[in-house]
Amino acid sequence: MATTARLGLKVRYFSTTVVKPVSKLVTLLMKDPKFFGVVNNPHIKRNIKQKTVSDVLSKQKISPMMLNFVNLLAENGRLRQTSDVASAFGKIMSAHRGEVLCSVTTAQPLDEVNLSELKSALNGFLKKNETLKLETKTDPSILGGMIVSVGDKYADMSTKTKIQKLSKLINEAV
């Protein structure tokens, strides 16, 4: 029990000291067009970018750990990938918390009844300590059915794909 409590404290500490500042950093990057322009301009030298970014972030009261992280990105010429790094980090933290990302694409938006049925069906595939993080998308080009992606598994049950497969079979037979 004590180990679980310690792990929970570590996750909360890590979440407040790293996850939230990374989100704040990405928001700051996207919000300020001048700052975004400096970071993404390949003609500006790394040391100038690093100084500019350090100055801006120190005014925003970013933690020293995050400032070191951004300086590391600047030194390695990776400031343009900050949002990608933050996205990858978010996925790692999500997996650490036991969240399983599930993406469902349908031709029309799902109503509440269908959405709750879908959630209960998908929860049946999860392990005991995992939680579902469902993302729904709408794409009219699939015509009907749905495309489901859970973790590394993918199932295309769309009408568009079924029609394409049938058309291919018919064309091969002729």
Side-chain angles (χ1 to χ4, degrees), residues 35-95:
F35 187 54
F36 185 76
V38 168
V39 168
N40 286 315
N41 189 338
H43 301 293
I44 297 176
K45 294 183 180 181
R46 288 183 187 175
N47 59 347
I48 296 171
K49 281 185 185 182
Q50 186 175 5
K51 176 151 180 26
T52 304
V53 169
S54 292
D55 291 345
V56 169
L57 294 181
S58 61
K59 290 177 186 174
Q60 295 293 325
K61 298 179 182 174
I62 297 287
S63 71
M65 181 172 36
M66 286 309 303
L67 197 56
N68 287 339
F69 171 68
V70 173
N71 282 331
L72 179 68
L73 289 174
E75 285 175 18
N76 293 316
R78 302 279 190 244
L79 276 174
R80 289 189 289 172
Q81 285 87 18
T82 302
S83 61
D84 295 335
V85 170
S87 174
F89 183 74
K91 288 178 183 175
I92 291 169
M93 285 305 298
S94 181

Side-chain angles (χ1 to χ4, degrees), residues 97-111:
R97 289 187 298 262
E99 297 173 349
V100 177
L101 181 62
C102 176
S103 175
V104 176
T105 306
T106 56
Q108 297 176 349
L110 295 172
D111 60 6

Side-chain angles (χ1 to χ4, degrees), residues 9 22 29 34 42 52 62 74 78 91 97 105 109 112 117 138 140 153 161 163:
L9 286 174
V22 167
L29 253 175
K34 289 180 183 176
T52 304
I62 297 287
R78 302 279 190 244
K91 288 178 183 175
R97 289 187 298 262
T105 306
E112 290 300 320
E117 286 179 18
T138 305
K153 294 173 181 63
T161 302
I163 291 171

Side-chain angles (χ1 to χ4, degrees), residues 113-152:
V113 174
N114 288 332
L115 190 61
S116 64
E117 286 179 18
L118 178 65
K119 283 180 183 178
S120 64
L122 291 172
N123 278 324
F125 292 103
L126 300 180
K127 295 178 184 172
K128 189 177 183 179
N129 57 350
E130 294 177 331
T131 56
L132 183 69
K133 192 173 182 181
L134 184 63
E135 175 184 291
T136 57
K137 301 176 190 171
T138 305
D139 182 6
S141 71
I142 68 169
L143 303 175
M146 63 178 59
I147 301 171
V148 181
S149 174
V150 180
D152 60 347

